[in-house]
Every structure is written in structure tokens, then in C-alpha cells.
Amino acid sequence: MRYSQVLSSAVALAGYAVAQEGEVQSKVVCDADTKICYSSYSDAESGMTFGIALPKNVTDPYDAVIKITAPIANTWAGFSWGGNMVWNPLSVAWPNGKSGTISARFAFSIGLPLGYDGAEHTYLKGTTTNSTHWTVNALCKGCTGWQNNEDTRQALNGTGTTQFAWAYGVSQVEDSTRNDSAFNVHQAWGKWTHDLGAARIDNFDSLVKTNLLTAPAVPAAPSTIVTSVVTTPTTKPLAAAIPASCSGAGSPAFTGSLASGWKATKVAGGLTSPRSIQFDSAGNMLVVQSGKGISYHKMGTDGCVASTKMLLSQNNLNHGIAMSPDGKTLYASSMTQAYSWPYDAAAGTVGTRATIITGMYNGGSHLTRTLAIAPQSPNLLVVSHGSNANIDTATGDSKTGRAIIKVFDLKAVPSGGYNYVSGGYLAGYGQRNEVGMCFDKNNMLWGVENSGDDFKRTVNGQAKDIHQNNPGEKIHYIGDVTKPNNNWYGYPSCFTVWQPSDFTDKTFKVGDFFVPSPNTTFNDDTCNQKAVAPKMTLFPHSAPIDCKFDADSSTMYITYHGSWNRSPVTGFKLVAVSFKLGADGLYTPTEPITSTTAAKDIFYNPRVESCQGNGPSFSSGCFRPAGLGWDSQGRLYMTSDTSSNGELWVLGKS
């Protein structure tokens, strides 16, 4: 990160924006001190003002000056250059002593926007803080054009009108002196239509040069904390020895605790939102770094990373990755598409990209598309697709192509790729957000579902808040993906009980189906009749996002990404659920669906209440488990995608 006169941020370029015509709400305002005239918008609700100045020549790429003024109570303010939270550059600013700090950010999902090295800010005169307001005035290079989530260039029309957006927060940022500081969820947001034609001024370059400032001082990086170990129940040992330490990995960023007899060693740090893991046929580890691409890690025999390079720099890749069984084809996904590349494991190179699937939903709150190859049928690509909102009512019909898992035949990919909505066949629907998918030893597919938020139980017009401890997250048995599965798994109508005592109108057990607002047409009993029940219920709001079985399918390991709307916070850990082989030859959880103790903590944050949540908040003081992967020696690797320090861990028995 550059901290001299020019400030920029730390991650890769990407974006998505929607320009929209409408009634112009900006007007020209000239600053007497800097002599810069801005096309300026003032918002009465937030008390903030946003000014934009552009050069006369607005041929892409072109620079812009942004001026943000906010009440001192607004501890940070964000400006969206594309009018959206995700897939466009963001300028986020906050007061810093008697001055201010501004940061270039980019959000590739609903979470803390990452640092963005596609844009950089240079401070200008007028950046100041007093007892009532603060102002940041800065030149931005790279804010007016970006790569969108379809991997194509998008730029603002500097002679027309466009839609911008603002947001602000009221909680203090983590470190106001750093432009890479974390900050918490917004208090409010809004949009307006801005006249960019009126922002074009004469002598743009000379006015910028006249008003240049020096950046605020930057402190040293925060210290790190070494992992500690406490005793809790555990499962059986893993196969290979775990290294005591890995050269160059650095100390763990956050304190962690382990189950008795387990060991965790950090093998890499400094990654950008590391998500899913895929090992290739030569034992190299590939990691999806959301908003950046896929990194290639050559592994040593000790389980440490020997060398690292970027395999693919493609910023719309955000989670999904898979490999053909012969190790010669790599698959990965963006929010809207799935791709393939010829792959050379020894060289760590890819060939020309092909598009396998298009037409996945562009937007919403669940942006990842998990991929898996059917072990027993390597021509089948399994793709999960979440809902577009907390309650996506249209997904009761599988034809919407959301809250669903689908299977595609790679031997028959049409020209230009399958359309996700109309192509392939079902592996179940009504799965709200089945981010984690894993195959057991029988090659049967399982999934872990993120369930709903902000729930009330409404009976006879009387609503009772049950969101704190309901509904439960789920483990679903999907089964054999070589055959169509047209079963409905309940969403968006049927959910599972975790804490029965929250329901006062009826007696429930853990794992029972319920509907938020039962009526004579559709009620709890309807769910039992029509929906496939989960095999296990997990703690509410834990946000499971990956799962992996061990070699004999006696244990499913699950990453809990962490809650965002529960107090106290929950999740932020790796857990293990024991499985057994039934008399029918199928694997099933050892404990019954009524159990609340099936998931055992393996690697977790000892003070989870200090974690600031998932979703749109930042994770402060906690690691945040995301992806899992086994190497050929039986060592379990895990990513932590905490925005301030993406890490890679290896776990096993000590």
C-alpha cells in the first residue's frame, strides 16, 4: 500500500455499475479556497455533501476530484462510483485528527469492501476536520472506469447523468490513521441522480496541481498474536504430521483455540479473501482469492508452502473451483458464469478459457456459485446457486434457477455454454444457499445450507420474534447426482426449529419443520408432507460455507463463516460432525436430528463475542473459516478470509 502523497489500496480491479437516468439532484457549487467548481449533491437525511469535478476531456480513462463533507457523528462515509455496494469502485473516507483519510475500496460480495489497487487517491486542500464536520477532498485516478463482473470494461459517461450512492456509519473505524482500516456496517444508505456534464471544469489539471496536499502519517502494522490451545472433545486423528511452523508464513493474525490433541499451523498469510481450495494431481494447492483470481501454491513434503504464484488473475472469480479427475481441466466460477481452462499441474499454467455456463443471477445477496465434479461420473459438473435475498419467494418454482443445485454434462456443452436457468437437470431445489457441497465415500452428495435471518413466528396476527435462535442451519442429503433429483428441500417456505421454547403456539422438537406464518392453506404439516427434511440441524446463524468428509466418511468437517445479525455473535470456527454407515449402506449423521451437540468444535475463536460479524460488517479480532481441502497425505487445509489478513492453515492431530 502506498502512503506517501498518493494513497491507494491493496487488492485487484473489478466492478459492476448501473447508470440510470432520472431527475438531476446535483447543482454546481464553487469552492472559494481551492477555486474548484463541483457538481454537488447534498443529502438532507445524512447531512452529507458529495462534490465531483471532472476534466473537460472525459474520454475513458479519466480522473476525477471527489469532495466528501459529513457531520462529525458520521464516523465514516462511502461514495459508490457505480451506484451499488458491489462491483464498482468505492471511495470511503473518515475523519483523522484534524485531517481526514480516504480509501479506495471494492466489494465483490456482501461484506467489508476490500482495498482496491485499480484506483488511487491524492489528497487536496480542503481536507480537514473540526468540531462539527469533516471533509476529505481528493483526486481519484481509476474511479471512473473499471472491469465489471462479466470481465468487461465499464466507464462513467462524463457528459451525461448517472446514479451514485452514499452510505455512512456511526461506529468508529478500527484505525482512523490507516486507509486499509476495517469499518463496520453502514447505518443508512441512499442514491441520487448526478449531472456529470456539469462537473467538467476548465484548468482541471492546473487546479489539482495547485491544491495538492501531503498524506497523513501512517503507523506501523498492528502486532500479531500467537495461537493458543484449550481442551475440548475431539474426533479421531488425521494421517500426516503437522509442521510445527512454516517459514515465511508469519505469526497468526488472531488468537485461536483447538480441540484436545489437535494442532493448527499457519502456512501462508497476506492472501486476498481466500475462499475455496483445490489440490491438483501433482499435489499443488490452488486457492480462489475472491476479487483477485486463483493462486498456485507448490507444497513441500512437510505440508508448508514452498512457493506461490498467481495462476489466474481474473477479478470476477469469487468462490467456486473444481478439477477434472485426470487433473487436466480446471473449473471456476464468477457470480454469473462458470469457466474451464486446460491445466498443466507441473508447470502451473492454464490454457485458453472457455465458458461452460452463463445466465446465473446477476446481483442479490448470495453471490457465490459452488462447483463440484461428480467422482463417479467426471463429465458431470454440479453447481449450486443461492437465493437472491433472505426470502426469495419466486424460488418455490424450480424454473427460477435460484436456491437450487443443478448438474451439467460437460460432454455436451453447447456453443457459448449452458444457460443455468434452462440448462442441466436438478439435484434438488429449495436449498436457500447451499454454499458447501461434499461427496461421501459412496459418492453421494451432501450440502450445508445457510438458513434465513430476522424471523418472526406469526399466528392469528400475533408476531413473536424468534430470530436469535431460529431457524437452524441444515445438513442436507442430496444423493446420487448422476440421476435427476426433483425433490423440494423446503425453501422459501419451510425452515427448521433449533430452540423449541421460542415457539409458544405449538410444541416442537429440534429439527422439526415450521413456517413463519402458518395458515389454513400452508402450515407446518404441509412442510412435513412436501419437503425433504434435513439430516441434521446446526446452530442458527453459523453460516456454514464448506464441508469435507474424511477418507472413510466417519466425519464431516464444516466451516462456520460466522453470524452477522445475532447478539452475541456465533460461528467463526471449524466443526466436526460424526457419521456412521447405516444398515442400508448409506452414510448418515451419528446423532439424531434432534441433537444440539452433533457439531464439535475443532478450531475456534476463544472470544467469539469479539468477532464483529459476517455479512456487511468487518471481522475484528477473529479468524473466519471459509474453504477446506485435503492433501494426499491426509492433512486438512483451511482458509480464513478475514478481510484484514487472509490466511491459510493446516490442521491435524499433534
Short mmCIF file of all heavy atoms in Angstrom, two decimals, residues 467-489:
data_model
loop_
_atom_site.label_atom_id
_atom_site.label_comp_id
_atom_site.label_asym_id
_atom_site.label_seq_id
_atom_site.Cartn_x
_atom_site.Cartn_y
_atom_site.Cartn_z
N HIS A 467 -35.79 -14.81 16.01
CA HIS A 467 -34.62 -14.83 15.13
C HIS A 467 -33.32 -15.16 15.85
O HIS A 467 -32.37 -15.62 15.22
CB HIS A 467 -34.48 -13.47 14.42
CG HIS A 467 -33.65 -12.47 15.16
ND1 HIS A 467 -34.15 -11.68 16.17
CD2 HIS A 467 -32.34 -12.16 15.04
CE1 HIS A 467 -33.19 -10.91 16.63
NE2 HIS A 467 -32.08 -11.16 15.96
N GLN A 468 -33.25 -14.94 17.15
CA GLN A 468 -31.99 -15.15 17.86
C GLN A 468 -31.51 -16.59 17.76
O GLN A 468 -30.33 -16.84 17.50
CB GLN A 468 -32.15 -14.75 19.33
CG GLN A 468 -30.90 -14.90 20.17
CD GLN A 468 -29.93 -13.75 20.01
OE1 GLN A 468 -30.03 -12.97 19.07
NE2 GLN A 468 -28.99 -13.63 20.92
N ASN A 469 -32.40 -17.54 17.93
CA ASN A 469 -32.01 -18.95 17.96
C ASN A 469 -32.82 -19.83 17.01
O ASN A 469 -32.95 -21.03 17.22
CB ASN A 469 -32.13 -19.49 19.39
CG ASN A 469 -31.10 -18.87 20.31
OD1 ASN A 469 -29.91 -18.86 20.01
ND2 ASN A 469 -31.56 -18.33 21.43
N ASN A 470 -33.36 -19.23 15.99
CA ASN A 470 -34.10 -19.94 14.95
C ASN A 470 -34.03 -19.12 13.65
O ASN A 470 -33.93 -17.90 13.72
CB ASN A 470 -35.57 -20.12 15.35
CG ASN A 470 -35.75 -21.06 16.52
OD1 ASN A 470 -35.65 -22.27 16.38
ND2 ASN A 470 -36.01 -20.49 17.70
N PRO A 471 -34.13 -19.76 12.51
CA PRO A 471 -34.14 -21.21 12.27
C PRO A 471 -32.73 -21.79 12.30
O PRO A 471 -31.74 -21.05 12.22
CB PRO A 471 -34.72 -21.31 10.86
CG PRO A 471 -34.25 -20.06 10.19
CD PRO A 471 -34.27 -18.99 11.25
N GLY A 472 -32.64 -23.11 12.39
CA GLY A 472 -31.34 -23.77 12.36
C GLY A 472 -30.78 -23.82 10.96
O GLY A 472 -31.51 -23.83 9.97
N GLU A 473 -29.44 -23.84 10.87
CA GLU A 473 -28.79 -24.17 9.60
C GLU A 473 -28.99 -25.67 9.35
O GLU A 473 -29.40 -26.40 10.25
CB GLU A 473 -27.29 -23.83 9.66
CG GLU A 473 -26.97 -22.49 10.30
CD GLU A 473 -27.23 -21.29 9.41
OE1 GLU A 473 -28.31 -21.25 8.78
OE2 GLU A 473 -26.38 -20.38 9.37
N LYS A 474 -28.66 -26.15 8.15
CA LYS A 474 -29.02 -27.53 7.82
C LYS A 474 -27.88 -28.30 7.17
O LYS A 474 -27.03 -27.72 6.48
CB LYS A 474 -30.20 -27.54 6.83
CG LYS A 474 -31.45 -26.82 7.29
CD LYS A 474 -32.46 -26.78 6.15
CE LYS A 474 -33.68 -25.96 6.49
NZ LYS A 474 -34.60 -25.86 5.33
N ILE A 475 -27.88 -29.61 7.40
CA ILE A 475 -27.10 -30.54 6.59
C ILE A 475 -28.10 -31.33 5.75
O ILE A 475 -28.99 -32.00 6.29
CB ILE A 475 -26.27 -31.51 7.44
CG1 ILE A 475 -25.24 -30.75 8.28
CG2 ILE A 475 -25.57 -32.53 6.55
CD1 ILE A 475 -24.40 -31.65 9.18
N HIS A 476 -27.98 -31.24 4.43
CA HIS A 476 -28.88 -31.93 3.52
C HIS A 476 -28.20 -33.12 2.86
O HIS A 476 -27.03 -33.04 2.47
CB HIS A 476 -29.33 -30.99 2.39
CG HIS A 476 -30.39 -30.02 2.78
ND1 HIS A 476 -30.43 -28.73 2.32
CD2 HIS A 476 -31.49 -30.16 3.57
CE1 HIS A 476 -31.48 -28.11 2.81
NE2 HIS A 476 -32.14 -28.96 3.58
N TYR A 477 -28.94 -34.19 2.71
CA TYR A 477 -28.51 -35.31 1.88
C TYR A 477 -29.11 -35.10 0.49
O TYR A 477 -30.33 -35.09 0.32
CB TYR A 477 -28.99 -36.63 2.47
CG TYR A 477 -28.68 -37.84 1.60
CD1 TYR A 477 -27.38 -38.32 1.49
CD2 TYR A 477 -29.70 -38.48 0.89
CE1 TYR A 477 -27.10 -39.42 0.69
CE2 TYR A 477 -29.42 -39.58 0.10
CZ TYR A 477 -28.12 -40.05 -0.01
OH TYR A 477 -27.84 -41.13 -0.80
N ILE A 478 -28.24 -34.93 -0.50
CA ILE A 478 -28.70 -34.70 -1.87
C ILE A 478 -28.75 -36.01 -2.64
O ILE A 478 -29.67 -36.27 -3.40
CB ILE A 478 -27.78 -33.69 -2.59
CG1 ILE A 478 -27.62 -32.41 -1.74
CG2 ILE A 478 -28.33 -33.37 -3.97
CD1 ILE A 478 -28.90 -31.69 -1.42
N GLY A 479 -27.70 -36.86 -2.46
CA GLY A 479 -27.72 -38.18 -3.06
C GLY A 479 -26.93 -38.30 -4.35
O GLY A 479 -25.94 -37.61 -4.57
N ASP A 480 -27.39 -39.17 -5.22
CA ASP A 480 -26.70 -39.54 -6.46
C ASP A 480 -26.97 -38.49 -7.53
O ASP A 480 -28.08 -38.39 -8.05
CB ASP A 480 -27.19 -40.91 -6.91
CG ASP A 480 -26.44 -41.43 -8.13
OD1 ASP A 480 -25.56 -40.72 -8.65
OD2 ASP A 480 -26.75 -42.56 -8.56
N VAL A 481 -25.93 -37.73 -7.90
CA VAL A 481 -26.13 -36.64 -8.86
C VAL A 481 -26.10 -37.13 -10.30
O VAL A 481 -26.29 -36.33 -11.23
CB VAL A 481 -25.09 -35.53 -8.66
CG1 VAL A 481 -25.23 -34.89 -7.29
CG2 VAL A 481 -23.67 -36.03 -8.90
N THR A 482 -25.88 -38.42 -10.52
CA THR A 482 -25.95 -38.93 -11.89
C THR A 482 -27.40 -39.11 -12.34
O THR A 482 -27.66 -39.38 -13.51
CB THR A 482 -25.22 -40.28 -12.03
OG1 THR A 482 -25.90 -41.28 -11.26
CG2 THR A 482 -23.77 -40.16 -11.56
N LYS A 483 -28.33 -38.94 -11.40
CA LYS A 483 -29.76 -39.04 -11.71
C LYS A 483 -30.45 -37.75 -11.30
O LYS A 483 -30.12 -37.16 -10.27
CB LYS A 483 -30.39 -40.21 -10.95
CG LYS A 483 -29.71 -41.55 -11.19
CD LYS A 483 -30.28 -42.61 -10.26
CE LYS A 483 -29.56 -43.94 -10.44
NZ LYS A 483 -30.06 -44.97 -9.48
N PRO A 484 -31.42 -37.29 -12.07
CA PRO A 484 -32.16 -36.08 -11.68
C PRO A 484 -32.82 -36.26 -10.31
O PRO A 484 -33.34 -37.33 -9.98
CB PRO A 484 -33.21 -35.93 -12.78
CG PRO A 484 -32.61 -36.62 -13.97
CD PRO A 484 -31.85 -37.79 -13.40
N ASN A 485 -32.77 -35.21 -9.52
CA ASN A 485 -33.40 -35.19 -8.20
C ASN A 485 -34.34 -33.99 -8.18
O ASN A 485 -33.90 -32.85 -8.06
CB ASN A 485 -32.33 -35.06 -7.12
CG ASN A 485 -32.90 -34.84 -5.72
OD1 ASN A 485 -34.11 -34.81 -5.53
ND2 ASN A 485 -32.02 -34.66 -4.74
N ASN A 486 -35.62 -34.24 -8.32
CA ASN A 486 -36.61 -33.17 -8.39
C ASN A 486 -37.25 -32.86 -7.04
O ASN A 486 -38.29 -32.20 -6.97
CB ASN A 486 -37.70 -33.52 -9.41
CG ASN A 486 -37.13 -33.65 -10.81
OD1 ASN A 486 -36.29 -32.86 -11.22
ND2 ASN A 486 -37.58 -34.67 -11.55
N ASN A 487 -36.62 -33.32 -5.96
CA ASN A 487 -37.17 -33.09 -4.63
C ASN A 487 -37.04 -31.63 -4.21
O ASN A 487 -36.09 -30.93 -4.58
CB ASN A 487 -36.44 -33.97 -3.60
CG ASN A 487 -36.79 -35.43 -3.75
OD1 ASN A 487 -37.92 -35.78 -4.09
ND2 ASN A 487 -35.82 -36.30 -3.52
N TRP A 488 -38.00 -31.21 -3.39
CA TRP A 488 -38.02 -29.86 -2.84
C TRP A 488 -37.55 -29.93 -1.39
O TRP A 488 -38.04 -30.74 -0.60
CB TRP A 488 -39.43 -29.29 -2.91
CG TRP A 488 -39.59 -27.92 -2.32
CD1 TRP A 488 -38.89 -26.79 -2.63
CD2 TRP A 488 -40.54 -27.52 -1.33
NE1 TRP A 488 -39.33 -25.72 -1.90
CE2 TRP A 488 -40.35 -26.14 -1.09
CE3 TRP A 488 -41.54 -28.19 -0.62
CZ2 TRP A 488 -41.11 -25.42 -0.18
CZ3 TRP A 488 -42.30 -27.48 0.29
CH2 TRP A 488 -42.09 -26.11 0.51
N TYR A 489 -36.59 -29.06 -1.03
CA TYR A 489 -35.99 -29.10 0.30
C TYR A 489 -36.54 -28.02 1.24
O TYR A 489 -36.00 -27.82 2.32
CB TYR A 489 -34.46 -29.01 0.18
CG TYR A 489 -33.87 -30.31 -0.34
CD1 TYR A 489 -33.95 -30.65 -1.69
CD2 TYR A 489 -33.26 -31.21 0.51
CE1 TYR A 489 -33.43 -31.84 -2.17
CE2 TYR A 489 -32.73 -32.41 0.05
CZ TYR A 489 -32.83 -32.72 -1.30
OH TYR A 489 -32.31 -33.91 -1.76
#
